[in-house]
Amino acid sequence: MMMTHAQISNSIVKERIFPEGWDKHVARSFERLQSITEGDITLKRTYFTEPYHTNINAGNMSGTRSPALTLEYIYIDCSDKDECSFIYKEIYDASSGVLIRSENDSF
């Protein structure tokens, strides 16, 4: 029962955050990222952190976390691809779908 509720709630949150769809939103987020980074970058992977856990355990008893879009990227001109891999994250408000803040681990 909890799993179904979490899945439905996560779906509602995704609709609030990505009203134009996943692809368009990721493209806009990547453009924001490109505007703040120096140098050419390539997107490696993207994923969404859902706010409601579908498997509640002692480590996540509240069952919630901030929804976030994560973009993993690399600088094209870097010779060591492992050292040039970074994470950019956009954190959203689950209720409104509004972008609260962004974090970039390359700075």
Side-chain angles (χ1 to χ4, degrees):
M1 185 68 152
M2 281 296 279
M3 191 165 106
T4 302
H5 180 268
Q7 289 170 330
I8 292 168
S9 296
N10 285 332
S11 179
I12 292 168
V13 170
K14 284 181 189 177
E15 288 176 18
R16 285 183 192 136
I17 295 173
F18 312 121
E20 295 178 353
W22 172 261
D23 292 338
K24 285 187 180 182
H25 194 90
V26 168
R28 265 198 315 276
S29 295
F30 188 65
E31 287 173 6
R32 277 195 289 272
L33 173 60
Q34 286 177 312
S35 73
I36 61 172
T37 57
E38 295 179 15
D40 292 328
I41 58 174
T42 298
L43 191 60
K44 283 176 49 177
R45 181 171 89 116
T46 60
Y47 55 92
F48 180 67
T49 303
E50 296 177 325
Y52 302 100
H53 293 279
T54 55
N55 186 15
I56 296 179
N57 58 40
N60 60 16
M61 287 301 283
S62 70
T64 61
R65 57 193 163 205
S66 296
L69 171 63
T70 302
L71 289 80
E72 293 181 14
Y73 66 98
I74 59 171
Y75 284 94
I76 294 172
D77 57 352
C78 184
S79 60
D80 184 354
K81 297 302 181 196
D82 290 332
E83 291 294 321
C84 300
S85 184
F86 300 98
I87 294 176
Y88 171 75
K89 188 180 288 189
E90 294 182 338
I91 294 95
Y92 296 86
D93 176 69
S95 299
S96 65
V98 173
L99 178 63
I100 298 171
R101 70 181 185 281
S102 61
E103 302 170 353
N104 190 352
D105 75 352
S106 73
F107 300 143

